[in-house]
Amino acid sequence: MKPREPSPIDRAALTADYLRVRAASEAICAPLETEDYQVQSILETSPPKWHLAHVSWFFETFVLKPYAPGYRPFHPLFERIFNSYYESVGPFHPRADRHVLARPTVAEVYRYRHAVDAAMRELLATCPESDWSTAAARTTLGLHHEAQHQELLHMDIKANFAACPLQPAYRERPEPERSGAAPALRWIERPGGVVEMGYSGDGFAFDNEMPRHRMLLEAHRLASRLVTNGEYLEFIEAGGYRDPRWWLSDGWAAIKSRGWSAPLYWAQGDRGWSEMTLAGPHALDPALPVAHVSFYEADAYARFRGVRLPREAELEAVLDNLPVAGNFAETGRLHPDRARDDTDGQWYGDLWEWTQSPYTPYPGFRPAPGALGEYNGKFMANQLVLRGGACVTPRWHMRPSYRNFFYPHDRWPFTGVRLAGDAA
Amino acid sequence: MKPREPSPIDRAALTADYLRVRAASEAICAPLETEDYQVQSILETSPPKWHLAHVSWFFETFVLKPYAPGYRPFHPLFERIFNSYYESVGPFHPRADRHVLARPTVAEVYRYRHAVDAAMRELLATCPESDWSTAAARTTLGLHHEAQHQELLHMDIKANFAACPLQPAYRERPEPERSGAAPALRWIERPGGVVEMGYSGDGFAFDNEMPRHRMLLEAHRLASRLVTNGEYLEFIEAGGYRDPRWWLSDGWAAIKSRGWSAPLYWAQGDRGWSEMTLAGPHALDPALPVAHVSFYEADAYARFRGVRLPREAELEAVLDNLPVAGNFAETGRLHPDRARDDTDGQWYGDLWEWTQSPYTPYPGFRPAPGALGEYNGKFMANQLVLRGGACVTPRWHMRPSYRNFFYPHDRWPFTGVRLAGDAA
Amino acid sequence: MKPREPSPIDRAALTADYLRVRAASEAICAPLETEDYQVQSILETSPPKWHLAHVSWFFETFVLKPYAPGYRPFHPLFERIFNSYYESVGPFHPRADRHVLARPTVAEVYRYRHAVDAAMRELLATCPESDWSTAAARTTLGLHHEAQHQELLHMDIKANFAACPLQPAYRERPEPERSGAAPALRWIERPGGVVEMGYSGDGFAFDNEMPRHRMLLEAHRLASRLVTNGEYLEFIEAGGYRDPRWWLSDGWAAIKSRGWSAPLYWAQGDRGWSEMTLAGPHALDPALPVAHVSFYEADAYARFRGVRLPREAELEAVLDNLPVAGNFAETGRLHPDRARDDTDGQWYGDLWEWTQSPYTPYPGFRPAPGALGEYNGKFMANQLVLRGGACVTPRWHMRPSYRNFFYPHDRWPFTGVRLAGDAA
Amino acid sequence: MKPREPSPIDRAALTADYLRVRAASEAICAPLETEDYQVQSILETSPPKWHLAHVSWFFETFVLKPYAPGYRPFHPLFERIFNSYYESVGPFHPRADRHVLARPTVAEVYRYRHAVDAAMRELLATCPESDWSTAAARTTLGLHHEAQHQELLHMDIKANFAACPLQPAYRERPEPERSGAAPALRWIERPGGVVEMGYSGDGFAFDNEMPRHRMLLEAHRLASRLVTNGEYLEFIEAGGYRDPRWWLSDGWAAIKSRGWSAPLYWAQGDRGWSEMTLAGPHALDPALPVAHVSFYEADAYARFRGVRLPREAELEAVLDNLPVAGNFAETGRLHPDRARDDTDGQWYGDLWEWTQSPYTPYPGFRPAPGALGEYNGKFMANQLVLRGGACVTPRWHMRPSYRNFFYPHDRWPFTGVRLAGDAA
């Protein structure tokens, strides 16, 4: 989230971006009932209403308050209740209790959004040149921040709808674009050597992607596509969840204490396995990628197959040489799709790929100064890096160097598994 | 909740009662925003929407399904999600997760209510005589059940609004009817001897109020009114919450682990103590009765004053000889009021009075047969009896023999304290 | 524990009592290895070493410090680490962490005991008459206190030995005194009316047994003996632990969350059910009384049989007219025995009988002044009364009016079940 | 713990090693009272008795059972109760309940040890050549395993003694070897480039140290000695534990929920800060290295100083070029010492140095086959690497490539802090 100051940012272009991104958040929520905005079904999620307000709070706090002269906060308590975790900004409402915030209502939150939007348009138009580069950089950061919450909205809505016994559908099921079995899994041999990784361009990147630095890789190989539901089902049917051999010690403890025996949204009924999707429950399609597994499950599956998960540098080396294209949020599918053919590596989009790499600072990493330094840096413990984006990630928000991160037990993100191995 | 079969029940009168009670529940919710219907701020509460649906489920399950020929349940899953705790009826949605039920929406719940209402009106008009006495008794039980949930709605709405940092007001503050200090506390001497307690009439009563039986009381005395905020404040200011001498061992553990140092809705600010009410936060009025204390706090306060809490039989002996009148829900105040004068004993209404009597079965108690036997009997452990009703209790629902019960740590009910003592 | 001042206490007799009781505690521990003294297998228990020290601390704190001129405490930290729960005395070591007290060693604890004994002998011999009645009353209280800890030692040693996978035997198994089936269960009809209960003599009694007061009982009936293992097994085999109909709501929650499906020390193996005893594991004898059940299980069993548990006054009315005799600790069996014959009511000894009576103060109850007032009074919440004593209770310590009390989920005491019912 | 098969191992030499290491464990326990052997003061620790038995179980399970013909296990239940975490071997006694194992007694555990020793001597003398290389490799592994438990014994004894209010001394305080202030902290500039790390010799190493592989380092700098108590005190006095700026998000949550405001064994009294040591409590010496801090505290301290913690490769590159010498267990001090002079880098011994490197597999890592594969590999999640050994580590057990690992909240190991930074 490094508010970098690249080539001069065009005011009109940034304003257009701003309006487009803000509108997209509201479009995501358009299918929701008022009640749906209020739910926090598991601790990790936030009510959709809260997301909509928090991203506005971000602009208010980091752009409007410092740069819009005379800006008056929309409500004196919003600083506290829509602050997510910025200790430097001040005390905040407990994360676990966001669902008790009946007020402000959904309508008030939309009024808040629109008041912030009006002030932002004004600021983008009138901000003096002396402030422009910082204000523009922070606005850009705010848009990428909002993109992250757009993905969270999809994740959280899915979790909420799945937690409701009525299992409602958030949207119609998209027509299947492809059908049939997944292409056979091939191994792609990759050379070792010193590679560069991390962001170095003059566009936007988060601080945690920098600095670009060298990294030494050993020769290795990567699977040609994501692991499928059908392949993962073999692991389940072979007793994978009952056999400690495949599991990290913490993973074994996790599946025992949480009672896990399949991916998050799977259910076994009279007619076999089904999977909850944003279009409601559907019969499990063995050709689709397995989704919503924890790192522990991804790692156990890899061990079951005698291989391992990729390192983040191994994936970045591939991503660096590919166009940013794939099954992203813009396709509107909001579900991972089968690999199209033998050449479809599913490197971008579909599902975030668990790596075996803990989320740690790159050599020379410096968090941004001030409260924005809390954006990424303070989470560099106990989490794992995921790469490549998912079907709920906006494509414009993606880069080869993008580092996502979650705790090893997290299953509500759109996570998937790519196998890797050492060179033969 | 014994579905007793008293003097023949008039169909028209019961239908009128039904419509009146059902309308009252909806009137309670009229001031709510859709978002307010969804909140479960603490484990003990339920979302208002859930209350509205559950009381309809009660009629559907215990009246319509058995007695309305061809009745088709409104929704196949409602049996599970709106069952509160009737194990005999089948498995039910976890109590702690009622807030995740975004669906059915509020509008659907109202449709559910109205479908049940239509079927109930039909049944009350056309039920054959052979079924009438049971159907009428169960309908009557359903209305008293709904009255209990009307009180819970007020309790839960208050808890939810207080949990929201914006601390909204559920309603306008009623004009103060009286003012000035509370009348001085007097001791009323009460004789010992064998008394009768429990319900024996031919109207409605819950099974836990029966059978009427004899009880031996020692001579004792009762305070002439409820303990006031001002009196309770003396306890706080004397260090009452820091002095283990006044506390039951479990009470001391409770206030330490929960961090309690004042009644539930009190807050200390720059301008002194305030109290959250259904009309929002207001400066603490020392003449009003202290409310929302746990049994542990009520008991500690009594010890601090060198006396004790009443026994339930001691209170029933008084209530038995008084008209059922006082500051009940019908006054619309929804807050306890100061004792009017020296003759105003506050025996009925204002606040439920903690007794020192554990909630146990009366000699000869028999729970109703079948699932309705779960209504009261299975809760006869670990709870205390409270007597007299509160400002959120419908007056028509009250009787001298009425036994309410809560856990000793519960503070979200409208509880208060009356002192008692042994005869001098 | 009211330190009452009855007929003048003879110094020589009290000294002899003192030495006898103190020796008995050490005799209980004689079979223990040093390691056994250190274990606290469940939260409710204490290491045997701690018991031995705590009872000495009691004499030191309540007799020696106030009445032995110039008495110097054995160790400055013992006041803190061997105080059980007397807030008035000062802060104390957390109950759950008594097992971490490696020091003082067992040998030092015995030195502590013997130093206290020497000082007590001196005091009992030389105490001036002006102090005698109080010092003697407190010494008597201390002996009854030690008797309670002798019972706790047996309970805790059993829990500790059962928790060890080696399941050692604390002692040899006593020769069976009787054999064969239990006598048939008969119902004894008992009249209603006003009875007196509570202690009124001039010997020792705890404060919670007083004052003697009148109580009105309805006609009822009591089972002629305790429920047997064989009878309880029928409950288990009829699916009793899987059927919510029999259970209090809190009881059902308890057995689900704790995974209970049989009494505490039962185990089902290849050769049927066995039971852990102080003589190690043995095949379950269907004629012996069922032991180590919680109140919830006792209550559910009674409901399964269509009856109920006794009230404490119902039991005291019987006990009041019987000699204090039965299978107490003095028999050395340390296990409940089968009813000898049709006349053997098992009213005293064998097992503490759960009543349905919550542990509450008698009318007119006053706790002792000062720290000793914490002995009983502050526990009068959330517990149930048990009556009659058990096979690990010293007989000399028992009275008809004796009230024992435990939480409804407690199973490590020597608890049993007597059925009761309302008059036919 | 890779049971590698290096140059032929000499039987006599291995037998001598075996006897020396086994004797050392018993010597560590020599000062203990029987009671001390039984204590498990915090969840992470084990009773010393359990350690002594478990290391014997290791030889029994992995050497004697497979290689000693006709070996009969000492006790059928020991397989279960002294198995630490080897799922492949079978079910095991819960870790948190090791303190309830009163039996076997300490004396029996010593008999167990000596029976295992006798069988091992026999095996080492008579094992056929065909088995020798594996049996010898596993024996060697067992000795390094025992060395790890010797360190754990010191850690656990310290935790246990500190948890006891009497705060006993495990041993006399060693005469101070040096005195005065610590030498000034200097920065040592270190070049970047490709380095090799990991074990490659033909002696013993654990599987997690292999394979030796290349690693690319950026230029960096390392502090010339460990952080001292005096320096750390400046952090505390500057409000470090109250300022979220310095803390990882998970670290801030940890210090809040655990109530930490100083290193584990520090206490503030009337006469200033003191520190619990294995020689009892002593006044805090500002020149000694700060010990018993969590990763979170080490990391926060580094941020407070504007620098960072080292990477494990950065430390290994230094260690690789130094003799394995320092304040190890053999010095008998059992406490970190001040840096002797400007040339004393404290690289080896004194305290394990937290690195910022998560504990992950090296490229090409393969766990040992069978149950021994559980030794290290399954813990490669959620932990951090520490380097260099401590004053309670046997020197013979150390290597430059040695990777120790703990959870970021662990404080009971002998941990310390070395600062690092990027090249200027």
Side-chain angles (χ1 to χ4, degrees), chain B residues 259-330:
Chain B
W260 291 348
S261 57
L264 174 55
Y265 292 124
W266 289 27
Q268 202 170 15
D270 295 341
R271 281 167 302 183
W273 288 96
S274 65
E275 182 182 19
M276 178 67 178
T277 75
L278 279 167
H282 288 288
L284 192 75
D285 181 339
L288 292 190
V290 63
H292 297 291
V293 289
S294 65
F295 167 77
Y296 295 129
E297 290 163 298
D299 179 81
Y301 177 78
R303 289 173 195 243
F304 169 74
R305 295 297 185 188
V307 291
R308 62 169 174 82
L309 297 178
R311 291 188 178 79
E312 67 165 324
E314 293 168 351
L315 290 184
E316 184 164 331
V318 174
L319 295 169
D320 233 357
N321 292 298
L322 287 176
V324 179
N327 180 14
F328 282 111
E330 285 83 351

Side-chain angles (χ1 to χ4, degrees), chain B residues 226-227 289-293 298 351-354 386 414-418:
Chain B
L226 297 174
V227 171
V290 63
H292 297 291
V293 289
L351 293 170
W352 287 101
E353 302 178 15
W354 282 111
L386 301 96
F414 282 74
T415 53
V417 190
R418 182 184 302 277

Side-chain angles (χ1 to χ4, degrees), chain D residues 190-191 194-201 205-215 217 220 222 308-324 347-348 352-360 362-363 385-389 398-404 418 420:
Chain D
R190 303 277 306 165
V194 172
V195 298
E196 288 209 343
M197 70 184 297
Y199 188 74
S200 67
F206 287 116
D207 56 2
N208 63 8
E209 301 167 49
M210 292 179 274
R212 189 157 178 92
H213 61 285
R214 295 168 303 156
M215 180 85 181
L217 288 179
H220 58 280
L222 296 170
R308 61 167 174 86
L309 297 178
R311 292 188 177 78
E312 67 166 322
E314 293 167 352
L315 291 183
E316 184 164 330
V318 174
L319 295 169
D320 233 358
N321 292 299
L322 288 175
V324 179
W347 301 98
Y348 278 116
W352 287 102
E353 302 178 16
W354 282 111
T355 74
Q356 65 167 249
S357 300
Y359 177 49
T360 54
Y362 284 164
V385 172
L386 300 96
R387 291 300 196 118
M398 186 51 41
R399 290 168 300 286
S401 57
Y402 197 108
R403 308 174 84 194
N404 202 353
R418 180 183 304 275

